[in-house]
Amino acid sequence: MSIENMDELINHLKSQGFVFQGSEIYGGLANSWDYGPLGVEIKSKLKSLWWKYFVKKNEFNVGLDSSIILNDNVWKSSGHIGNFNDPLIDCKNCKARYRADKLIEENLPNIVISGCTLEQLKAIILENKINCPKCGKLDYTDIRKFELMFKTYQGVIADDSSVVHLRPETAQGIFINFKNVQRTTRKKIPFGIGQMGKSFRNEITPGNFIFRTREFEQMELEFFFNPNDSKDWFEYWLNKVIIFLNEEINLDSKKYHIRHHEREELSHYSKKTVDIEFDFPFGRGELWGISHRGDFDLKAHQNGSKQNLMYLDTDTNEKYLPNVIEPSVGVERLLLAIFSQSYVEELLDDGTKRIVFKLPKKLAPYQIAIIPLQKQQNDKAYELFNELLTDFDAVYDITGNIGKRYRRQDAIGTLYCITIDFDSEADKKVTVRERDTMQQERILISELKNYLEQKLK
Ligand code: GAP
């Protein structure tokens, strides 16, 4: 999909009720998006697939739902207060604002800037004549650090003692509960804790639709293991993520790429990181990060809280701080990858165009649409719709001619349209039309449930 089609995709998602502009009737709030009736369905299916695969049906893992607002000491220990900031630079001429590191990366893709001071970053911009992308001038402010965490106050008095922050990642809620979870579940190392939920970052340059926003959802797993374990748990979880992408959500394997971080590029907590990047319509971007965090976080919280977070192996009497592998992904980023690979415009034999949203089977908001051909079949169709609603995600569609209804269902990704017509009364059959091939079959109503179950497996 090209960048031009990105606008079409966004219009499509808005017009069909997947994603709306946030606060739209008040003129909107920049880079905020609301998920409509179809968006919320696909989002919740995606989250439940992740939960099932990484938590519920995984032999090692359990789940957690920690708070968004944590004791501020959590962020002091984790290094977020003080370290979680981006280098901000403004164009003095047109006032456009950029992340200095991104400005350099976009213009000089081969340069390594990790570890550079703010002054060095500015020097790179000036020496390489990276002009302002908006006005073309080379007249920038100095670079300053911009704190990414959203600050607020807890309680009635808004002063320094009541400052709290919204979490910028779900991971820290897991680390501070490591002991609680281990004690109550009596889990032995290795085991993991999965969590999904909202995170907030006051991004300097949000954009590219839902790719980078200030409020987003993460799905993170922190997997704890003995540092002396000979098994390569990093490879194990990387492989698991790839199986999830291929088999659970059918992401096109030609569109994603595995990129190992260079040493200089690693975050302060990471021993090893791999990004799975996706070819989005606007270019290649990070989709899913897998990091080896060592014992950085547990050690930081053990020091900060003065609590003993060591794990005692009761079989060997070995006492240690576990190491951690973290696969971390944003729900909306994964959705954008799925949306952009699924949006297809087809030219049909009769010269007309159809938009078909080829959403993966497990994620389509509706599996089936029940369509009465004419008014006379409404009652029968509605009865069938109610019967099938128990077992399938179904919608009842009675407005417009049959062609329009097929197009409408194609556009929202409905997998099968089931039409009741004049003959249904006599032959006790319905027509089942498949979304991608548009092929139709007559199926006995008594066989329908079985037929659909097979198809939707
Ligand atoms: N706990 C590690 C962590 O948070 P990260 O690379 O900063 O690492 C992990 O974020 C994932 O969260 C990213 O790969 C991306 O999918 C998603 N993500 C991060 N910032 C985001 C933003 N501003 N908007 C949407 N998704 C974001």
Side-chain angles (χ1 to χ4, degrees):
M1 175 188 272
S2 65
I3 189 75
E4 296 82 58
N5 290 10
M6 178 79 173
D7 288 337
E8 280 173 36
L9 171 67
I10 297 172
N11 287 336
H12 180 72
L13 292 168
K14 286 183 184 169
S15 66
Q16 298 293 337
F18 282 90
V19 183
F20 303 129
Q21 167 74 64
S23 310
E24 190 170 12
I25 63 167
Y26 286 98
L29 173 69
N31 299 294
S32 78
W33 304 96
D34 293 342
Y35 289 79
L38 300 181
V40 74
E41 284 303 325
I42 188 167
K43 219 177 179 191
S44 107
K45 286 188 177 192
L46 179 59
K47 290 193 286 183
S48 91
L49 280 181
W50 182 92
W51 190 258
K52 206 164 155 192
Y53 183 87
F54 285 97
V55 179
K56 225 174 152 169
K57 300 283 181 196
N58 185 280
E59 61 186 303
F60 299 112
N61 300 340
V62 289
L64 178 78
D65 183 15
S66 70
S67 304
I68 286 174
I69 297 173
L70 307 176
N71 184 318
D72 236 32
N73 287 324
V74 172
W75 308 117
K76 287 178 189 146
S77 298
S78 67
H80 282 86
I81 290 182
N83 284 329
F84 196 53
N85 44 50
D86 278 340
L88 177 73
I89 192 166
D90 294 319
C91 170
K92 284 190 196 161
N93 182 53
C94 72
K95 312 287 178 238
R97 179 159 282 181
Y98 303 102
R99 260 178 71 173
D101 53 340
K102 292 281 163 214
L103 200 57
I104 297 172
E105 275 166 23
E106 275 154 22
N107 286 278
L108 308 166
N110 296 324
I111 196 165
V112 176
I113 51 172
S114 179
C116 285
T117 62
L118 299 182
E119 290 72 28
Q120 285 167 331
L121 289 180
K122 182 154 183 201
I124 294 172
I125 291 173
L126 297 180
E127 278 160 22
N128 291 282
K129 300 205 174 5
I130 303 178
N131 294 341
C132 169
K134 195 167 163 210
C135 72
K137 289 265 162 29
L138 188 67
D139 187 13
Y140 291 109
T141 60
D142 283 341
I143 301 175
R144 56 226 186 270
K145 284 184 177 173
F146 179 76
E147 177 74 62
L148 285 179
M149 276 201 295
F150 275 95
K151 197 191 242 183
T152 185
Y153 300 94
Q154 177 158 282
V156 283
I157 299 168
D159 64 12
D160 284 353
S161 66
S162 59
V163 167
V164 285
H165 292 86
L166 305 187
R167 70 179 174 200
E169 60 172 14
T170 63
Q172 297 305 322
I174 297 179
F175 296 124
I176 59 170
N177 278 292
F178 167 70
K179 272 274 155 143
N180 282 337
V181 173
Q182 197 268 322
R183 193 183 59 246
T184 50
T185 58
R186 294 173 303 284
K187 279 264 179 201
K188 286 195 180 291
I189 294 280
F191 75 91
I193 306 175
Q195 163 153 249
M196 56 172 67
K198 291 262 181 179
S199 291
F200 301 83
R201 297 182 190 179
N202 200 3
E203 300 277 4
I204 302 173
T205 50
N208 284 328
F209 188 40
I210 54 174
F211 178 80
R212 182 173 288 111
T213 48
R214 295 188 170 112
E215 173 180 344
F216 56 99
E217 280 188 85
Q218 285 186 310
M219 303 188 285
E220 300 198 283
L221 173 72
E222 308 301 327
F223 184 77
F224 301 90
F225 64 100
N226 186 334
N228 297 321
D229 193 337
S230 57
K231 191 171 166 98
D232 188 344
W233 287 109
F234 190 94
E235 279 306 308
Y236 176 88
W237 285 108
L238 175 59
N239 196 37
K240 280 277 184 192
V241 168
I242 289 167
I243 296 172
F244 180 82
L245 293 177
N246 293 344
E247 293 178 12
E248 295 293 318
I249 61 168
N250 308 127
L251 208 68
D252 182 351
S253 58
K254 289 190 284 310
K255 287 191 185 246
Y256 70 78
H257 315 272
I258 293 169
R259 189 177 73 79
H260 289 256
H261 279 213
E262 302 290 334
R263 251 177 78 84
E264 308 76 45
E265 206 188 335
L266 293 173
S267 308
H268 60 286
Y269 56 74
S270 173
K271 289 183 164 181
K272 179 177 177 181
T273 293
V274 159
D275 280 347
I276 296 179
E277 299 182 329
F278 187 81
D279 294 327
F280 291 99
F282 50 83
R284 197 168 281 187
E286 177 186 335
L287 179 66
W288 203 318
I290 296 104
S291 287
H292 188 320
R293 298 182 73 117
D295 64 2
F296 178 88
D297 305 273
L298 288 180
K299 194 185 264 170
H301 291 302
Q302 178 163 272
N303 291 340
S305 67
K306 308 276 181 277
Q307 301 286 320
N308 178 6
L309 301 184
M310 303 273 264
Y311 171 77
L312 171 66
D313 186 328
T314 47
D315 297 330
T316 61
N317 264 338
E318 201 187 349
K319 238 182 171 183
Y320 58 91
L321 277 178
N323 275 14
V324 171
I325 304 295
E326 174 197 69
S328 168
V329 66
V331 175
E332 293 82 359
R333 248 179 227 192
L334 209 43
L335 264 189
L336 184 57
I338 293 159
F339 283 153
S340 61
Q341 83 164 28
S342 303
Y343 182 83
V344 178
E345 286 183 5
E346 280 180 359
L347 194 61
L348 301 178
D349 291 344
D350 63 3
T352 59
K353 194 177 82 171
R354 82 161 177 152
I355 292 173
V356 50
F357 213 13
K358 296 190 172 177
L359 294 170
K361 231 199 264 193
K362 292 182 186 168
L363 294 176
Y366 297 123
Q367 296 170 305
I368 54 171
I370 313 298
I371 299 177
L373 189 64
Q374 289 189 314
K375 270 196 192 125
Q376 290 87 319
Q377 291 97 38
N378 281 6
D379 289 348
K380 187 80 202 138
Y382 196 68
E383 201 181 300
L384 183 65
F385 162 65
N386 266 316
E387 263 171 45
L388 294 172
L389 199 52
T390 321
D391 298 294
F392 303 98
D393 297 331
V395 60
Y396 178 61
D397 192 352
I398 48 167
T399 41
N401 65 40
I402 184 73
K404 270 204 180 126
R405 282 184 269 173
Y406 280 158
R407 292 287 168 275
R408 180 159 55 227
Q409 296 304 325
D410 289 344
I412 62 172
T414 307
L415 296 158
Y416 293 95
C417 286
I418 296 163
T419 306
I420 302 214
D421 58 26
F422 292 118
D423 298 329
S424 299
E425 187 75 36
D427 68 3
K428 307 283 182 248
K429 287 181 177 174
V430 286
T431 301
V432 180
R433 172 188 178 272
E434 203 267 331
R435 179 192 70 192
D436 296 352
T437 59
M438 295 187 287
Q439 271 172 3
Q440 304 192 359
E441 262 187 276
R442 290 290 284 176
I443 303 290
L444 272 170
I445 296 174
S446 57
E447 294 289 313
L448 191 57
K449 185 172 168 239
N450 204 11
Y451 172 90
L452 289 170
E453 274 168 359
Q454 294 307 314
K455 290 280 183 188
L456 293 167
K457 245 192 206 158

